[in-house]
Amino acid sequence: MKTDNLLLKFFLFAYLIVFFGYLLGPLLVMSVTAFNSPEFPRMTPWECLTFEWFDVLANDDRILNGLKNSLIVGFGTVILSVTMGLAGALLLTQIWPRMRATYYTIVIAPILIPGVVLGISTLVFWDRVNIMLGLSNESFLHNGIFLTILGQSTFIASYCMLVFVARLQRFDEGLTEAALDLGATNVQAFRKILLPFMKPAIGSAAVLAFLASFENYNTTTFTFGKFPTLTIELAQKVRYGINPSISSLAFIIIALTVLGALIHEAYKRKQQLAVANGAPVSEVMGGVKLPKIFRGNPAAIVLVLLALGGASTIWFAQVYSPDQCIEQVREQKQIEIQKKIDAIKEKRRQEMLKRQQEQSSSGTTNTAPKATNPGAGAFGGVFAPKNLDTETPDKGSEKKSTNPGAGAFGGVFAPQNLNKEKTED
């Protein structure tokens, strides 16, 4: 039994390592590359600790412009999506029960539609509306930010509605009815009773909408126009080569997300503990009394922590200089390259010496008798050029003719034979 328990713990531990390594490994590697000095994001070999890539990121106009556009689009999407989601959730509770399932399916449908389709349909639809209204191509309907907010809100509002529906399922409608019976108007009942109850859901939906808008790429690709968001800029930079400044941006985003999640989790746990004990939250926090501006205001705490973190990072970056380390690494690389070149030259020289030794040894040990008729081959040298000369008869040994030029007819046609015949006559 003990062996089985140890084996089970071993597999459970191995599974957790693989699971969290798969989830967090890429984030960890990318964060580390933000502090390594090579110009390409890599973790190994480690060269020098540097903050240079944060400075490169701070001076990258395209990244900063994309970040600004993402923040504008994110806040616009939060306002529109939360409003639409809350309205959709409230309507779902008030609609005729037979139509509730149909209405719910229609409102949730954008979640199932691919972002590419939503982006194209948003672009085409609002372009038709722009033409129908007789507006120019420079109108707000062709503005990239406006179209991007509309396109993203079409499906992010559905996520927000799911959050509100889950919250509304725990709402006691008798409170609203009691307020109406006591003379409150519908607006007052909504503002005094329902809205405070929905406050946590509104905060959760706002965070969800902002994060979904900030990382959206598929829909934004078709709607950004002249205002590219951060994801669009990053995708375009990756095509032409990246440097660790992108890793530094990822590190900042990861650090802010983790910090915000930890603060929120700590705040919620303290609040739950206070509620469970029936004591105020300040008493449960162990006597640590925050200044009045920070009480119940996590955003102020986050801002202070960010300011402290940023100030300490800037101070350390001013004090620490990686130039000497980078110069040493450069010299070390040159030495390694020179060693490789020398090794290649030595290898070639050794090969050449070996080849020469083989050639010289083959020349001294070749004691085979020389052929009497070298080059004769299998055909006895019949095609050798000099054989033509040997077949030609020797001019010295050729017997001279007694009547040269007589030929086969005995020189009967020679011109001097006519003179001989005349003299005989």
Side-chain angles (χ1 to χ4, degrees):
M1 180 64 74
K2 187 175 182 180
T3 305
D4 295 340
N5 291 334
L6 291 176
L7 190 62
L8 180 60
K9 290 181 180 179
F10 172 76
F11 281 112
L12 180 60
F13 184 71
Y15 169 76
L16 291 176
I17 291 177
V18 173
F19 180 74
F20 286 106
Y22 174 75
L23 289 180
L24 305 178
L27 301 179
L28 179 62
V29 171
M30 194 165 189
S31 300
V32 173
T33 59
F35 299 95
N36 199 3
S37 59
E39 295 183 356
F40 185 80
R42 64 183 184 185
M43 189 174 178
T44 56
W46 180 267
E47 294 184 358
C48 297
L49 174 65
T50 180
F51 295 92
E52 177 187 0
W53 305 119
F54 290 91
D55 186 53
V56 174
L57 176 66
N59 294 322
D60 194 328
D61 295 334
R62 291 184 58 182
I63 293 293
L64 295 179
N65 183 60
L67 181 61
K68 182 188 69 175
N69 293 334
S70 291
L71 292 176
I72 295 173
V73 171
F75 284 116
T77 304
V78 166
I79 295 173
L80 186 58
S81 299
V82 170
T83 305
M84 293 171 59
L86 181 59
L90 293 176
L91 183 60
L92 185 65
T93 60
Q94 302 296 327
I95 200 172
W96 190 29
R98 293 185 178 179
M99 293 292 296
R100 191 167 296 167
T102 304
Y103 173 77
Y104 182 80
T105 304
I106 294 173
V107 175
I108 295 299
I111 297 177
L112 306 176
I113 298 175
V116 176
V117 178
L118 291 176
I120 295 175
S121 59
T122 301
L123 182 64
V124 173
F125 176 78
W126 289 103
D127 180 70
R128 295 295 96 187
V129 172
N130 187 66
I131 294 175
M132 290 173 60
L133 296 177
L135 302 177
S136 65
N137 292 332
E138 301 297 329
S139 68
F140 71 99
L141 293 179
H142 269 273
N143 185 287
I145 291 179
F146 182 75
L147 278 183
T148 303
I149 292 174
L150 292 177
Q152 292 182 358
S153 299
T154 52
F155 69 95
I156 294 177
S158 300
Y159 292 113
C160 296
M161 195 196 76
L162 292 178
V163 176
F164 294 134
V165 168
R167 182 68 176 174
L168 285 173
Q169 289 178 349
R170 292 185 290 173
F171 179 67
D172 186 5
E173 296 183 357
L175 298 175
T176 303
E177 294 176 356
L180 295 176
D181 292 340
L182 293 174
T185 63
N186 290 324
V187 176
Q188 289 175 335
F190 174 78
R191 187 167 58 85
K192 297 288 185 179
I193 297 176
L194 184 58
L195 196 58
F197 179 78
M198 297 297 293
K199 188 177 177 180
I202 292 175
S204 301
V207 174
L208 176 65
F210 182 79
L211 294 179
S213 170
F214 195 79
E215 58 87 23
N216 182 264
Y217 177 79
N218 296 336
T219 305
T220 311
T221 302
F222 301 93
T223 57
F224 69 90
K226 298 179 181 179
F227 298 91
T229 60
L230 181 61
T231 54
I232 299 296
E233 290 289 358
L234 292 178
Q236 292 178 354
K237 287 179 72 67
V238 168
R239 293 179 183 175
Y240 302 104
I242 60 176
N243 56 36
S245 63
I246 295 180
S247 300
S248 62
L249 176 63
F251 174 78
I252 293 174
I253 294 174
I254 293 171
L256 292 177
T257 305
V258 172
L259 182 63
L262 292 176
I263 292 175
H264 181 263
E265 184 65 20
Y267 178 75
K268 294 296 292 184
R269 288 191 177 186
K270 294 294 182 183
Q271 192 176 29
Q272 291 175 358
L273 186 60
V275 172
N277 294 332
V281 178
S282 57
E283 296 183 2
V284 182
M285 295 181 72
V288 179
K289 200 169 184 179
L290 296 175
K292 187 175 180 180
I293 189 174
F294 296 144
R295 296 176 190 172
N297 190 2
I301 300 174
V302 171
L303 290 177
V304 171
L305 292 176
L306 289 177
L308 292 176
S312 60
T313 303
I314 293 173
W315 173 80
F316 187 75
Q318 295 293 330
V319 174
Y320 174 75
S321 176
D323 295 339
Q324 184 178 0
C325 178
I326 293 174
E327 185 64 27
Q328 292 176 355
V329 171
R330 186 180 297 111
E331 292 177 357
Q332 186 66 29
K333 286 183 177 179
Q334 291 177 354
I335 292 173
E336 292 178 357
I337 292 172
Q338 188 62 39
K339 286 182 178 178
K340 291 181 180 178
I341 293 174
D342 294 340
I344 293 173
K345 289 182 178 179
E346 181 63 21
K347 183 179 179 181
R348 290 181 178 177
R349 192 180 67 83
Q350 294 292 340
E351 292 177 353
M352 186 177 296
L353 288 175
K354 184 178 179 181
R355 197 178 304 116
Q356 290 177 356
Q357 289 177 358
E358 290 177 354
Q359 291 177 356
S360 61
S361 61
S362 62
T364 55
T365 58
N366 188 8
T367 57
K370 293 183 179 180
T372 54
N373 187 14
F379 299 96
V382 67
F383 298 109
K386 58 185 180 182
N387 290 344
L388 297 177
D389 298 334
T390 57
E391 293 178 357
T392 306
D394 190 6
K395 294 181 180 179
S397 60
E398 186 178 1
K399 188 179 180 180
K400 293 183 179 179
S401 176
T402 56
N403 188 13
F409 298 96
V412 66
F413 297 108
Q416 61 269 23
N417 292 340
L418 297 176
N419 297 331
K420 291 179 179 180
E421 292 177 355
K422 287 179 180 179
T423 53
E424 290 178 357
D425 292 339

